Amino acid sequence: MLGLAGRPGWDTARVNDLGLSYFEDYVPGATYEVGSVSVDQASIVAFAKEFDPQPFHVDPVAAAAGPYGGLIASGWHTAALVMRVLVRNYLSAESSLGSPGMDEIRWLYPVRPGDTLRVRATVTEARRSLSKPDRGIVKTLIEAVDQDGQTVMRATGINFVRARAAPQTPDVGP
Amino acid sequence: MLGLAGRPGWDTARVNDLGLSYFEDYVPGATYEVGSVSVDQASIVAFAKEFDPQPFHVDPVAAAAGPYGGLIASGWHTAALVMRVLVRNYLSAESSLGSPGMDEIRWLYPVRPGDTLRVRATVTEARRSLSKPDRGIVKTLIEAVDQDGQTVMRATGINFVRARAAPQTPDVGP
């Protein structure tokens, strides 16, 4: 099941189109165009009514007179949409072991109804866990860019990722 | 409309129960028990199916055999639920002008079906904006604690908050 991403006829459900299936595949410096997601007014309002019902997220009329001159997506909605893209094509269901958090998240530019966001991921750090050597810790610079080239969100995510192989341990004989 | 929080008979829709209605009300060092929120399995699965469909968030059977020994909420779901509490009772619809991001977010302990999270907010910094003196920048340490006293999430949020009054400007005569 190793390294089979994209080979027709193989079960590729456990890997993604980018071929990232285990910790060893996340190499610092590598950048991926992960995918894109569009957002419409109905979903902006629905998300915000449930989780972030501020006027500029839920009420188009109030939003037009508000600080952003129109309805904008909750930053949490933007983050969740970006996560959907990452889960589909950057993380692997086989190896993703969850996340302890984000080092930083910045909402840099409003996301408005009709926007399409491209998600870019750059591996910034990848190190084997000392306490649990069957996995590694991967840090990723995540950027979401709208159809006009504006970076709307930037964040540094941290993920626990299962390793394909045990770490190299020198001086271990048969 | 200033400082009327909690006075019966007044329109308090624009302020919250904690009396935080404008920038000047957010004083570094102040801690608030903001409110609580519960989460059930159906909402955990529904959120994750839309935004974070990893096995340990969407599939109880796979989750039971997975790294957390059962279904856990997406960290983005937890963050969104915490936001709902903050919008209801820590931010003011009158003065909240949005957020440029979070300095850090940590998911420290799994959130499972049936958990109830209390949200605590501590103002850590409040300074007038230099470029836009009609508002301030408030930093808040946000903590979510479950029914067993475990801190499940910790984050530092940043909010733009409208000021009640113009800044004090000495040496300005009539």
Side-chain angles (χ1 to χ4, degrees):
Chain A
M1 288 301 300
L2 307 182
L4 305 177
R7 289 199 195 173
W10 290 90
D11 173 13
T12 57
R14 291 177 169 185
V15 297
N16 53 52
D17 292 347
L18 302 174
L20 298 166
S21 47
Y22 287 97
F23 167 67
E24 291 86 343
D25 302 324
Y26 295 84
V27 177
T31 293
Y32 299 93
E33 294 289 337
V34 182
S36 67
V37 60
S38 296
V39 61
D40 61 19
Q41 178 165 318
S43 66
I44 287 174
V45 171
F47 184 99
K49 278 190 173 171
E50 189 168 357
F51 298 114
D52 191 354
Q54 301 192 74
F56 41 81
H57 297 321
V58 297
D59 180 343
V61 175
Y68 299 98
L71 202 72
I72 65 168
S74 166
W76 298 111
H77 190 196
T78 302
L81 290 166
V82 167
M83 187 66 190
R84 184 163 79 191
V85 175
L86 293 171
V87 170
R88 188 179 296 148
N89 217 15
Y90 182 73
L91 299 172
S92 154
E94 172 73 357
S95 66
S96 172
L97 297 170
S99 165
M102 313 283 285
D103 269 354
E104 187 185 70
I105 179 164
R106 285 291 179 272
W107 296 300
L108 300 164
Y109 196 80
V111 174
R112 299 181 188 274
D115 280 359
T116 297
L117 310 181
R118 289 184 299 114
V119 178
R120 190 164 50 216
T122 302
V123 181
T124 57
E125 193 179 323
R127 61 182 174 83
R128 181 80 64 158
S129 168
L130 295 175
S131 58
K132 297 180 179 177
D134 65 338
R135 66 197 61 186
I137 297 145
V138 175
K139 286 198 178 187
T140 304
L141 173 65
I142 302 155
E143 295 165 290
V145 180
D146 73 13
Q147 67 283 348
D148 299 321
Q150 287 281 357
T151 301
V152 299
M153 189 181 110
R154 193 179 58 226
T156 297
I158 311 167
N159 289 88
F160 298 130
V161 182
R162 199 187 304 278
R164 181 178 286 118
Q168 301 289 330
T169 48
D171 302 325
V172 175
Chain B
M1 288 303 300
L2 307 182
L4 305 177
R7 289 198 194 174
W10 290 90
D11 172 13
T12 56
R14 290 176 170 185
V15 298
N16 52 52
D17 293 347
L18 303 174
L20 299 165
S21 47
Y22 287 97
F23 167 66
E24 291 87 342
D25 302 324
Y26 295 84
V27 177
T31 293
Y32 300 94
E33 295 289 336
V34 183
S36 67
V37 61
S38 297
V39 63
D40 62 18
Q41 178 165 317
S43 66
I44 287 175
V45 171
F47 184 98
K49 278 189 173 173
E50 189 168 357
F51 298 115
D52 191 354
Q54 302 192 72
F56 42 80
H57 297 319
V58 297
D59 180 343
V61 175
Y68 299 99
L71 203 72
I72 66 168
S74 167
W76 299 110
H77 190 196
T78 302
L81 290 166
V82 167
M83 187 66 190
R84 183 162 81 191
V85 175
L86 293 171
V87 170
R88 189 178 294 148
N89 217 16
Y90 182 73
L91 299 173
S92 155
E94 173 73 358
S95 66
S96 173
L97 296 170
S99 165
M102 313 284 285
D103 270 355
E104 186 184 72
I105 179 164
R106 285 292 178 272
W107 296 300
L108 300 164
Y109 196 80
V111 174
R112 299 181 189 274
D115 280 358
T116 296
L117 310 181
R118 289 185 299 114
V119 178
R120 189 164 52 216
T122 302
V123 181
T124 56
E125 192 179 324
R127 61 181 175 83
R128 180 81 63 158
S129 168
L130 295 175
S131 58
K132 297 181 179 176
D134 66 337
R135 66 197 60 185
I137 297 145
V138 175
K139 286 198 178 188
T140 304
L141 173 65
I142 302 156
E143 295 165 290
V145 181
D146 73 13
Q147 66 283 347
D148 299 320
Q150 287 281 358
T151 301
V152 299
M153 190 182 109
R154 192 178 60 226
T156 297
I158 312 167
N159 289 87
F160 298 130
V161 182
R162 197 188 304 278
R164 181 179 285 118
Q168 300 290 330
T169 48
D171 302 324
V172 174

